[in-house]
């Protein structure tokens, strides 16, 4: 059977599919690793190329590197199109579009030099790294964090709504108190100042000059300093809850047929009859 | 009955009341949504109008927009007065006063041009958004946060008292050490510096110059950096407690008549007799 | 008995003692409140006097105010000395010394004008506020916080030790990399920069100029940004533990004589015999 | 036996070994304390020497001090080499190398004056302090923190990965929006700005000028301000877990021979037979 399968074009596409789209086989994992390294290197190339000193001295080398990465990614895109079960569906998926967008600017900059400003769109290549990370061991950890964020989303919206109203009101207040002569030229600038101050960033490009303005500034800073406790408290409690969630087991009581008994239970918690011994099941280990 | 009720002015006011003041019917929810959008847009108009470039180019358009919102809010205010059961009580309530204040400045600025400086009082319109939010699904989340804040209020007062004493003492100290020649012209300026530093905002408009001043600054920053752990720890613990609070149920033991048994209890925790099966009741789900 | 007691000088001192040193009677609480207000107002006087504009316009008025407070505090000090059971012991206690120090500078500045620079020592009056706060309802809250801090002290020392080593090493590194020409004139300045950066204060008075310096700065900022999670996590866990501590009760099992049964227990957890019903005792409510 | 052992050179080395490498005897603890003080003083000497005012006035004294410490550390290094069971293994161990590196620069600066720039490598002496701390009572506390960090490492990697992608994307965006004329001369500078802003450090050396740039800045600051809740929440939950870990006991049920019963258990949780009374064992107290 095996020698036959090797000759079928279908099987060739299938194998390519497994290498490119999955990460359960050794070649698949190697491909993902190579792709991740290529993505990071190509992003590094874009970053370093933007330094004028590098551009002056090694501009030619950077251009060659950039073309190498673009060609490699183009080949990868074609391979994905060829091996995908439904090429159109892949091409129109989120990652399919990101894949195109991250190679197009290099070609466009050659064809239509006026579009050279779009060259930094290549940085979207970074987004492709997420696809690979989705397949790794870190997905569980990211899962805990995103589940906690999901549980906390309403509380965080309430918090951000409160912050928004605070910065708008204090931004307006400082616009009125300090006025354009002290740099608060408009309410948007006042809001910008309020965000800079409330988040305790403190650039120092717009600062209060009058006594009243300084007193209000002090209040806003203390508010921001105290209020950061709220999202932190929310996330702390949610991450704690998510981490403590019991693993779902499928242990079933043979007497009353209830499911979900804990891994260390010895008796049914519903009817009191002894449970059959528990087979250690990797899927039932707590997410940590 | 229904065809009769439709003709009564009382019923017309009642229906208006339900639309304007409540949010349980479809028209009521639509009205709230429209009002929330109008509030946000009118606030945006005030914010954008304050930019001089916008004022120069589209000042006329902004004025028209402003008048449209003012007229709309005036009509809404009249509708509230008309439909309220006790108009005077509404007019003197917190939101009744906010409603007037948020439309008055536009009229006043026309009648008494000298009062134009008060035009930004219109920003209080933002406060009206809270009335609407009070009726939405987010009220539970805001409830968890405000309950946690309420529980923590004494600890937070103690914390703010400690912070106040620290900034006053260090502000005075730096006024003595650095003196007016390095920008610490008075103790209030010293306190302003201490707040800027302790909250790790760091504008950089007043900075220490002497060695001793820099050493004290380092200490104040490390203190602020460590001490932020306290409100955060308080809020974390309180939010955790509030989130873990058991839902109040009305399950009653038929034997000893005690109330408040948990949803998954099968036996009375007071007399040991079996409890009647629990009807799943949405009101008893834990607040999350 | 009572009419007799009123005539004894001993009783007069005793009553004064109760008013001044305790806070369980109505006059005692009123005295504490008056003293707290006087302390705050006198500190405010010192703060406001330091503003040169105020000094120019209302210097005479400020001086009179200052003398009023000084005389009031002097009288209070004499009253404390008179009513204390052991005057010397009070005079040499921590608060006794603070009490003297907070009135002396005003007298000294008159007698020895050269010592005018010590006038700000009066700010130590603020410390006296702690004595009053010790007697109020906030003492429990402060107790929770200080107990949590006490439990966490070793972990916080380890953390501060780690932070110290980090700022010394990075301060030295930046002194070597950036050098005096970019403002890093010495290692202490480098350490000052490291603290400003690690605590994410960011004054902007000493900033990196070279590329390598900026890269290291980015690392230090991210380190500081992440590492703040450690004291916060410590405090969160400790406050949580302290808040969860069960109130100590003195309920005793009449059978096995064990103590400390919880307020809602109905049976002895040691021998299983029923407990006598629990008298609600305010002292046994959980500290919150 | 003892009088004999004292005469053997092996014993002399053994005693030196116990003093230098261990901390369980009184001389060992004294040696560690002396070494810790010497390390701190020698680091202080290097720090203070870098101030040019000190160098001008007391340069000679600083040089003498430096040589004293170098000679002391050299002697200590020789003593360690002599007393170690396997000198080569010690010399090539992490601390062995640190020990050499922290004395070499002083000698090198004399022999090869061109290498004077390496003089600050002496600061690595600080690392030697860790060796001593490893032996003290603080090791438990450091253990709790490092165990929590270890448990959290994957979540923190996910978080730092997310932060990295955010700063690269926003750095590029601001490079495109603000451009070199407003200080964003290259993408690396943009990334530097993004880190300064996201961590809410806010030096103010690179700030947005355009309206769009300011709006994005506000977003990045609010993101950084909210997102700090994530590592804090992670650490809070992990420290909480680590602190709650039950102490491992060796209490064994005499019937079913299972181990690890809790200190306050009275009955075997596996077979229900009574446990023998628990001897309070200090090693079994929870780590706090």
């Amino acid at each position: 059977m095996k020698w036959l399968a090797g000759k079928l074009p279908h099987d060739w596409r299938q194998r390519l599919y497994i290498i490119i789209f999955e990460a359960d086989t050794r070649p698949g994992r190697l491909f993902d690793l190579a792709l991740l390294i290529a993505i990071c290197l190509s992003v590094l190339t874009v970053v370093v190329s933007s330094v004028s000193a590098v551009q002056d001295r090694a501009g030619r080398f950077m251009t060659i590197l950039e073309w190498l990465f673009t060609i490699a990614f183009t080949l990868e895109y074609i391979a994905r199109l060829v091996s995908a079960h439904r090429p159109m569906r892949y091409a129109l998926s989120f990652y399919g579009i990101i894949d195109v967008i991250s190679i197009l600017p290099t070609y466009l900059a050659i064809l239509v030099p006026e579009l050279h400003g779009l060259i930094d769109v290549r940085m979207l290549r970074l987004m492709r790294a997420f696809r690979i990370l989705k397949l790794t061991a870190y997905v569980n950890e990211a899962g805990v964090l995103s589940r906690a964020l999901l549980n906390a989303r309403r509380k965080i919206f309430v918090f951000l709504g409160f912050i928004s109203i605070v910065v708008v009101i204090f931004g307006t207040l400082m616009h009125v108190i300090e006025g354009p002569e002290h740099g608060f030229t408009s309410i948007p600038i006042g809001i910008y100042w309020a965000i800079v101050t409330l988040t305790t960033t403190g650039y120092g490009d717009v600062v209060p000059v009058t006594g009243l303005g300084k007193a209000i500034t002090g209040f806003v800073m203390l508010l921001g300093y105290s209020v950061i406790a709220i999202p932190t408290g929310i996330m702390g409690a949610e991450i704690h809850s998510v981490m403590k969630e019991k693993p779902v087991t499928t242990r079933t009581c043979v007497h009353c047929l209830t499911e979900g008994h804990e891994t260390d239970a010895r008796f049914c918690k519903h009817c009191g009859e002894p449970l059959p011994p528990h087979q250690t099941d990797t899927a039932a280990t707590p997410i940590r």
Side-chain angles (χ1 to χ4, degrees), chain A residues 190-215:
Chain A
I191 293 172
Y192 166 75
W193 166 87
I195 297 176
V196 169
T197 303
L198 192 84
T199 59
T200 73
T201 306
Y203 276 144
D205 53 347
V206 188
V207 288
V209 177
T210 65
L212 183 57
K214 283 186 174 169

PDB file of all heavy atoms in Angstrom, chain A residues 190-215:
ATOM      1  N   GLY A 190      -5.517  68.541  26.109  1.00  0.00           N
ATOM      2  CA  GLY A 190      -5.795  68.332  27.531  1.00  0.00           C
ATOM      3  C   GLY A 190      -6.022  66.859  27.836  1.00  0.00           C
ATOM      4  O   GLY A 190      -5.534  66.337  28.844  1.00  0.00           O
ATOM      5  N   ILE A 191      -6.758  66.168  26.946  1.00  0.00           N
ATOM      6  CA  ILE A 191      -7.023  64.734  27.144  1.00  0.00           C
ATOM      7  C   ILE A 191      -5.717  63.941  27.035  1.00  0.00           C
ATOM      8  O   ILE A 191      -5.448  63.029  27.824  1.00  0.00           O
ATOM      9  CB  ILE A 191      -8.077  64.232  26.138  1.00  0.00           C
ATOM     10  CG1 ILE A 191      -9.432  64.889  26.443  1.00  0.00           C
ATOM     11  CG2 ILE A 191      -8.191  62.723  26.162  1.00  0.00           C
ATOM     12  CD1 ILE A 191     -10.495  64.631  25.404  1.00  0.00           C
ATOM     13  N   TYR A 192      -4.889  64.326  26.044  1.00  0.00           N
ATOM     14  CA  TYR A 192      -3.565  63.697  25.890  1.00  0.00           C
ATOM     15  C   TYR A 192      -2.765  63.865  27.179  1.00  0.00           C
ATOM     16  O   TYR A 192      -2.195  62.905  27.713  1.00  0.00           O
ATOM     17  CB  TYR A 192      -2.846  64.340  24.707  1.00  0.00           C
ATOM     18  CG  TYR A 192      -1.374  64.055  24.594  1.00  0.00           C
ATOM     19  CD1 TYR A 192      -0.912  62.820  24.162  1.00  0.00           C
ATOM     20  CD2 TYR A 192      -0.432  65.041  24.893  1.00  0.00           C
ATOM     21  CE1 TYR A 192       0.440  62.566  24.047  1.00  0.00           C
ATOM     22  CE2 TYR A 192       0.917  64.795  24.785  1.00  0.00           C
ATOM     23  CZ  TYR A 192       1.353  63.563  24.368  1.00  0.00           C
ATOM     24  OH  TYR A 192       2.688  63.313  24.257  1.00  0.00           O
ATOM     25  N   TRP A 193      -2.782  65.082  27.741  1.00  0.00           N
ATOM     26  CA  TRP A 193      -2.082  65.327  28.998  1.00  0.00           C
ATOM     27  C   TRP A 193      -2.658  64.450  30.115  1.00  0.00           C
ATOM     28  O   TRP A 193      -1.917  63.876  30.912  1.00  0.00           O
ATOM     29  CB  TRP A 193      -2.193  66.805  29.397  1.00  0.00           C
ATOM     30  CG  TRP A 193      -1.792  67.047  30.821  1.00  0.00           C
ATOM     31  CD1 TRP A 193      -0.544  67.281  31.283  1.00  0.00           C
ATOM     32  CD2 TRP A 193      -2.657  67.010  31.961  1.00  0.00           C
ATOM     33  NE1 TRP A 193      -0.578  67.411  32.645  1.00  0.00           N
ATOM     34  CE2 TRP A 193      -1.857  67.249  33.091  1.00  0.00           C
ATOM     35  CE3 TRP A 193      -4.029  66.805  32.130  1.00  0.00           C
ATOM     36  CZ2 TRP A 193      -2.377  67.284  34.381  1.00  0.00           C
ATOM     37  CZ3 TRP A 193      -4.555  66.834  33.410  1.00  0.00           C
ATOM     38  CH2 TRP A 193      -3.742  67.082  34.515  1.00  0.00           C
ATOM     39  N   ALA A 194      -3.990  64.356  30.137  1.00  0.00           N
ATOM     40  CA  ALA A 194      -4.635  63.586  31.210  1.00  0.00           C
ATOM     41  C   ALA A 194      -4.234  62.113  31.129  1.00  0.00           C
ATOM     42  O   ALA A 194      -3.986  61.470  32.152  1.00  0.00           O
ATOM     43  CB  ALA A 194      -6.144  63.736  31.138  1.00  0.00           C
ATOM     44  N   ILE A 195      -4.149  61.565  29.912  1.00  0.00           N
ATOM     45  CA  ILE A 195      -3.732  60.162  29.768  1.00  0.00           C
ATOM     46  C   ILE A 195      -2.270  60.007  30.195  1.00  0.00           C
ATOM     47  O   ILE A 195      -1.923  59.100  30.957  1.00  0.00           O
ATOM     48  CB  ILE A 195      -3.942  59.661  28.316  1.00  0.00           C
ATOM     49  CG1 ILE A 195      -5.422  59.695  27.953  1.00  0.00           C
ATOM     50  CG2 ILE A 195      -3.406  58.244  28.153  1.00  0.00           C
ATOM     51  CD1 ILE A 195      -5.706  59.308  26.515  1.00  0.00           C
ATOM     52  N   VAL A 196      -1.414  60.916  29.714  1.00  0.00           N
ATOM     53  CA  VAL A 196       0.005  60.865  30.091  1.00  0.00           C
ATOM     54  C   VAL A 196       0.154  60.896  31.615  1.00  0.00           C
ATOM     55  O   VAL A 196       0.997  60.214  32.192  1.00  0.00           O
ATOM     56  CB  VAL A 196       0.780  62.046  29.450  1.00  0.00           C
ATOM     57  CG1 VAL A 196       2.173  62.160  30.044  1.00  0.00           C
ATOM     58  CG2 VAL A 196       0.885  61.870  27.943  1.00  0.00           C
ATOM     59  N   THR A 197      -0.704  61.669  32.285  1.00  0.00           N
ATOM     60  CA  THR A 197      -0.585  61.847  33.731  1.00  0.00           C
ATOM     61  C   THR A 197      -1.239  60.702  34.496  1.00  0.00           C
ATOM     62  O   THR A 197      -0.655  60.163  35.432  1.00  0.00           O
ATOM     63  CB  THR A 197      -1.217  63.186  34.137  1.00  0.00           C
ATOM     64  OG1 THR A 197      -0.567  64.214  33.407  1.00  0.00           O
ATOM     65  CG2 THR A 197      -1.069  63.437  35.616  1.00  0.00           C
ATOM     66  N   LEU A 198      -2.444  60.323  34.082  1.00  0.00           N
ATOM     67  CA  LEU A 198      -3.172  59.287  34.818  1.00  0.00           C
ATOM     68  C   LEU A 198      -2.445  57.942  34.751  1.00  0.00           C
ATOM     69  O   LEU A 198      -2.436  57.178  35.715  1.00  0.00           O
ATOM     70  CB  LEU A 198      -4.585  59.132  34.243  1.00  0.00           C
ATOM     71  CG  LEU A 198      -5.517  58.304  35.112  1.00  0.00           C
ATOM     72  CD1 LEU A 198      -6.128  59.176  36.196  1.00  0.00           C
ATOM     73  CD2 LEU A 198      -6.603  57.651  34.299  1.00  0.00           C
ATOM     74  N   THR A 199      -1.831  57.652  33.599  1.00  0.00           N
ATOM     75  CA  THR A 199      -1.113  56.391  33.483  1.00  0.00           C
ATOM     76  C   THR A 199       0.264  56.482  34.131  1.00  0.00           C
ATOM     77  O   THR A 199       1.045  55.536  34.053  1.00  0.00           O
ATOM     78  CB  THR A 199      -0.924  55.991  32.009  1.00  0.00           C
ATOM     79  OG1 THR A 199      -0.201  57.025  31.358  1.00  0.00           O
ATOM     80  CG2 THR A 199      -2.254  55.798  31.307  1.00  0.00           C
ATOM     81  N   THR A 200       0.564  57.632  34.759  1.00  0.00           N
ATOM     82  CA  THR A 200       1.858  57.900  35.395  1.00  0.00           C
ATOM     83  C   THR A 200       3.030  57.755  34.425  1.00  0.00           C
ATOM     84  O   THR A 200       4.134  57.386  34.827  1.00  0.00           O
ATOM     85  CB  THR A 200       2.114  57.012  36.635  1.00  0.00           C
ATOM     86  OG1 THR A 200       2.395  55.686  36.209  1.00  0.00           O
ATOM     87  CG2 THR A 200       0.940  56.984  37.577  1.00  0.00           C
ATOM     88  N   THR A 201       2.762  58.037  33.125  1.00  0.00           N
ATOM     89  CA  THR A 201       3.862  58.024  32.158  1.00  0.00           C
ATOM     90  C   THR A 201       4.703  59.276  32.341  1.00  0.00           C
ATOM     91  O   THR A 201       5.912  59.195  32.538  1.00  0.00           O
ATOM     92  CB  THR A 201       3.310  57.937  30.726  1.00  0.00           C
ATOM     93  OG1 THR A 201       2.454  56.820  30.643  1.00  0.00           O
ATOM     94  CG2 THR A 201       4.428  57.812  29.721  1.00  0.00           C
ATOM     95  N   GLY A 202       4.065  60.444  32.263  1.00  0.00           N
ATOM     96  CA  GLY A 202       4.768  61.686  32.578  1.00  0.00           C
ATOM     97  C   GLY A 202       5.871  62.044  31.620  1.00  0.00           C
ATOM     98  O   GLY A 202       7.032  62.133  32.011  1.00  0.00           O
ATOM     99  N   TYR A 203       5.526  62.284  30.324  1.00  0.00           N
ATOM    100  CA  TYR A 203       6.554  62.721  29.372  1.00  0.00           C
ATOM    101  C   TYR A 203       7.204  64.018  29.829  1.00  0.00           C
ATOM    102  O   TYR A 203       8.398  64.201  29.724  1.00  0.00           O
ATOM    103  CB  TYR A 203       5.922  62.981  28.005  1.00  0.00           C
ATOM    104  CG  TYR A 203       5.759  61.759  27.159  1.00  0.00           C
ATOM    105  CD1 TYR A 203       4.647  61.620  26.339  1.00  0.00           C
ATOM    106  CD2 TYR A 203       6.720  60.770  27.149  1.00  0.00           C
ATOM    107  CE1 TYR A 203       4.491  60.514  25.526  1.00  0.00           C
ATOM    108  CE2 TYR A 203       6.567  59.660  26.352  1.00  0.00           C
ATOM    109  CZ  TYR A 203       5.465  59.539  25.538  1.00  0.00           C
ATOM    110  OH  TYR A 203       5.313  58.453  24.750  1.00  0.00           O
ATOM    111  N   GLY A 204       6.354  64.950  30.268  1.00  0.00           N
ATOM    112  CA  GLY A 204       6.875  66.258  30.618  1.00  0.00           C
ATOM    113  C   GLY A 204       6.826  67.233  29.456  1.00  0.00           C
ATOM    114  O   GLY A 204       7.376  68.328  29.558  1.00  0.00           O
ATOM    115  N   ASP A 205       6.178  66.869  28.327  1.00  0.00           N
ATOM    116  CA  ASP A 205       6.073  67.826  27.212  1.00  0.00           C
ATOM    117  C   ASP A 205       4.934  68.811  27.431  1.00  0.00           C
ATOM    118  O   ASP A 205       4.985  69.927  26.928  1.00  0.00           O
ATOM    119  CB  ASP A 205       5.932  67.109  25.862  1.00  0.00           C
ATOM    120  CG  ASP A 205       4.806  66.104  25.849  1.00  0.00           C
ATOM    121  OD1 ASP A 205       4.284  65.775  26.930  1.00  0.00           O
ATOM    122  OD2 ASP A 205       4.445  65.634  24.760  1.00  0.00           O
ATOM    123  N   VAL A 206       3.899  68.416  28.165  1.00  0.00           N
ATOM    124  CA  VAL A 206       2.841  69.348  28.573  1.00  0.00           C
ATOM    125  C   VAL A 206       2.738  69.231  30.088  1.00  0.00           C
ATOM    126  O   VAL A 206       2.376  68.179  30.592  1.00  0.00           O
ATOM    127  CB  VAL A 206       1.478  68.976  27.926  1.00  0.00           C
ATOM    128  CG1 VAL A 206       0.461  70.068  28.198  1.00  0.00           C
ATOM    129  CG2 VAL A 206       1.620  68.712  26.448  1.00  0.00           C
ATOM    130  N   VAL A 207       3.097  70.310  30.802  1.00  0.00           N
ATOM    131  CA  VAL A 207       3.045  70.255  32.273  1.00  0.00           C
ATOM    132  C   VAL A 207       2.297  71.463  32.801  1.00  0.00           C
ATOM    133  O   VAL A 207       2.270  72.508  32.166  1.00  0.00           O
ATOM    134  CB  VAL A 207       4.463  70.227  32.893  1.00  0.00           C
ATOM    135  CG1 VAL A 207       5.141  68.902  32.665  1.00  0.00           C
ATOM    136  CG2 VAL A 207       5.303  71.365  32.381  1.00  0.00           C
ATOM    137  N   PRO A 208       1.661  71.318  33.982  1.00  0.00           N
ATOM    138  CA  PRO A 208       0.928  72.445  34.561  1.00  0.00           C
ATOM    139  C   PRO A 208       1.896  73.511  35.034  1.00  0.00           C
ATOM    140  O   PRO A 208       3.008  73.200  35.462  1.00  0.00           O
ATOM    141  CB  PRO A 208       0.196  71.806  35.736  1.00  0.00           C
ATOM    142  CG  PRO A 208       1.059  70.664  36.135  1.00  0.00           C
ATOM    143  CD  PRO A 208       1.625  70.137  34.853  1.00  0.00           C
ATOM    144  N   VAL A 209       1.476  74.760  34.967  1.00  0.00           N
ATOM    145  CA  VAL A 209       2.314  75.864  35.427  1.00  0.00           C
ATOM    146  C   VAL A 209       1.658  76.566  36.618  1.00  0.00           C
ATOM    147  O   VAL A 209       2.329  76.898  37.591  1.00  0.00           O
ATOM    148  CB  VAL A 209       2.570  76.858  34.266  1.00  0.00           C
ATOM    149  CG1 VAL A 209       3.381  78.054  34.757  1.00  0.00           C
ATOM    150  CG2 VAL A 209       3.289  76.161  33.127  1.00  0.00           C
ATOM    151  N   THR A 210       0.341  76.738  36.575  1.00  0.00           N
ATOM    152  CA  THR A 210      -0.329  77.434  37.671  1.00  0.00           C
ATOM    153  C   THR A 210      -0.430  76.540  38.900  1.00  0.00           C
ATOM    154  O   THR A 210      -0.341  75.316  38.805  1.00  0.00           O
ATOM    155  CB  THR A 210      -1.753  77.825  37.247  1.00  0.00           C
ATOM    156  OG1 THR A 210      -2.500  76.623  37.047  1.00  0.00           O
ATOM    157  CG2 THR A 210      -1.741  78.626  35.973  1.00  0.00           C
ATOM    158  N   GLY A 211      -0.628  77.194  40.051  1.00  0.00           N
ATOM    159  CA  GLY A 211      -0.748  76.433  41.299  1.00  0.00           C
ATOM    160  C   GLY A 211      -1.941  75.500  41.280  1.00  0.00           C
ATOM    161  O   GLY A 211      -1.825  74.316  41.635  1.00  0.00           O
ATOM    162  N   LEU A 212      -3.095  76.000  40.842  1.00  0.00           N
ATOM    163  CA  LEU A 212      -4.294  75.180  40.806  1.00  0.00           C
ATOM    164  C   LEU A 212      -4.088  73.981  39.874  1.00  0.00           C
ATOM    165  O   LEU A 212      -4.450  72.843  40.200  1.00  0.00           O
ATOM    166  CB  LEU A 212      -5.493  76.022  40.338  1.00  0.00           C
ATOM    167  CG  LEU A 212      -6.841  75.308  40.310  1.00  0.00           C
ATOM    168  CD1 LEU A 212      -7.178  74.737  41.677  1.00  0.00           C
ATOM    169  CD2 LEU A 212      -7.945  76.265  39.845  1.00  0.00           C
ATOM    170  N   GLY A 213      -3.453  74.244  38.725  1.00  0.00           N
ATOM    171  CA  GLY A 213      -3.175  73.170  37.772  1.00  0.00           C
ATOM    172  C   GLY A 213      -2.302  72.100  38.392  1.00  0.00           C
ATOM    173  O   GLY A 213      -2.530  70.905  38.194  1.00  0.00           O
ATOM    174  N   LYS A 214      -1.300  72.529  39.186  1.00  0.00           N
ATOM    175  CA  LYS A 214      -0.413  71.555  39.815  1.00  0.00           C
ATOM    176  C   LYS A 214      -1.152  70.739  40.863  1.00  0.00           C
ATOM    177  O   LYS A 214      -0.904  69.541  41.018  1.00  0.00           O
ATOM    178  CB  LYS A 214       0.786  72.275  40.447  1.00  0.00           C
ATOM    179  CG  LYS A 214       1.783  72.688  39.385  1.00  0.00           C
ATOM    180  CD  LYS A 214       3.055  73.275  39.935  1.00  0.00           C
ATOM    181  CE  LYS A 214       4.014  73.493  38.770  1.00  0.00           C
ATOM    182  NZ  LYS A 214       5.187  74.280  39.102  1.00  0.00           N
ATOM    183  N   ALA A 215      -2.069  71.398  41.595  1.00  0.00           N
ATOM    184  CA  ALA A 215      -2.845  70.669  42.600  1.00  0.00           C
ATOM    185  C   ALA A 215      -3.705  69.606  41.915  1.00  0.00           C
ATOM    186  O   ALA A 215      -3.758  68.450  42.359  1.00  0.00           O
ATOM    187  CB  ALA A 215      -3.721  71.643  43.388  1.00  0.00           C
TER     188      ALA A 215
END
